[in-house]
Amino acid sequence: QLQLQESGPGLVKPSETLSLMCSVSGGSISSSSYYWGWIRQPPGKGLEWIGRIYYTGTTDYNPSLKSRVTISADKSKNQLSLKLTSVTAADTAIYYCARPNSYSNYAMDVWGQGTTVTVSS
Amino acid sequence: DIQMTQSPSSLSASVGDRVTITCRASQSIANYLNWYQQKPGKAPKLLIYGASNLESGVPSRFSGSGSGTDFTLTISSLHPEDFASYFCQQSYSPPWTFGQGTKVDIK
């Protein structure tokens, strides 16, 4: 059974870089035809798609974050990573990794439990 | 970006009620519309994909319909565990976007 687990620092200072990992078990991030993605949710608010990475390494990002975000994959560790530079309080959120299923119209059928990141000095 | 507009933003209902939530896209997204349920402190859970396909393990009281720009999520008879927030999401074109959510609470 595919499982995703996010990890990373819960507190980041303004202007610094937020770095998160997503460990994948029960499946391989190298599986053909699959994307992997990141989504975030500010406290008490809705969901915002951050971006996705294809098994080939191709990435797509939300234009609102594109200048600051990098999503990458470490196939040897079966992990995804998210880096967001120059963070501000507006980046405070729960960050989720998820798998968009190409066989289900790219609906995100597997989610991690989320990790809370607070941006504060 | 494709804007997703959900309505209502909240509703109060009783156990056994039929509940309908609507989602409108700012342009045609064919059937690339998905519905999620989210409970407090939990990750979203996929309910419906491709506008009308029930995700495995999801109760049949949940159904989805629509295509193009207008979509509906229906809960035929509300159960106690259905009190939650619901989000629509388009996966037609990046950046994938979500509706603002509908909170269903107990009347």
Side-chain angles (χ1 to χ4, degrees):
Chain A
Q1 181 184 358
L2 185 67
Q3 292 185 317
L4 310 179
Q5 173 85 48
E6 304 89 347
S7 60
L11 182 64
V12 181
K13 290 182 168 55
S15 80
E16 294 189 344
T17 296
L18 179 160
S19 295
L20 299 176
M21 302 296 295
C22 174
S23 297
V24 178
S25 58
S28 172
I29 63 171
S30 302
S31 297
S32 63
S33 302
Y34 280 109
Y35 284 97
W36 304 88
W38 288 93
I39 302 93
R40 69 181 184 178
Q41 185 171 35
K45 296 188 177 181
L47 299 159
E48 180 182 30
W49 181 75
I50 299 171
R52 67 183 184 180
I53 184 166
Y54 199 37
Y55 78 103
T56 58
T58 302
T59 53
D60 294 293
Y61 300 125
N62 192 321
S64 67
L65 299 169
K66 188 173 184 177
S67 63
R68 300 193 292 129
V69 68
T70 302
I71 295 173
S72 60
D74 185 332
K75 293 180 180 180
S76 66
K77 295 181 178 179
N78 216 31
Q79 288 180 332
L80 309 168
S81 74
L82 170 70
K83 294 188 186 300
L84 186 65
T85 62
S86 305
V87 297
T88 70
D91 297 309
T92 293
I94 301 171
Y95 286 76
Y96 297 99
C97 57
R99 183 190 73 173
N101 191 332
S102 54
Y103 298 100
S104 302
N105 284 44
Y106 301 105
M108 287 171 277
D109 62 348
V110 182
W111 294 68
Q113 86 284 0
T115 188
T116 299
V117 177
T118 301
V119 178
S120 175
S121 54
Chain B
D1 299 5
I2 298 174
Q3 305 303 317
M4 306 301 295
T5 303
Q6 237 179 287
S7 62
S9 56
S10 65
L11 67 89
S12 295
S14 300
V15 172
D17 283 353
R18 181 182 182 89
V19 168
T20 299
I21 299 168
T22 63
C23 185
R24 175 165 289 177
S26 60
Q27 66 183 73
S28 178
I29 57 171
N31 69 336
Y32 284 80
L33 190 283
N34 313 303
W35 290 99
Y36 301 87
Q37 177 192 66
Q38 187 179 33
K39 296 182 178 179
K42 299 294 186 180
K45 173 188 173 184
L46 177 64
L47 298 176
I48 301 284
Y49 65 91
S52 61
N53 299 285
L54 196 66
E55 174 69 353
S56 176
V58 173
S60 59
R61 62 181 179 273
F62 292 92
S63 64
S65 64
S67 66
T69 60
D70 293 308
F71 302 88
T72 300
L73 172 70
T74 299
I75 310 172
S76 60
S77 178
L78 207 59
H79 283 210
E81 61 267 31
D82 301 336
F83 292 98
S85 293
Y86 294 85
F87 295 90
C88 62
Q89 177 241 340
Q90 65 84 13
S91 51
Y92 179 79
S93 174
W96 293 338
T97 44
F98 293 85
Q100 77 277 20
T102 296
K103 185 175 181 181
V104 178
D105 62 21
I106 302 172
K107 184 183 288 184

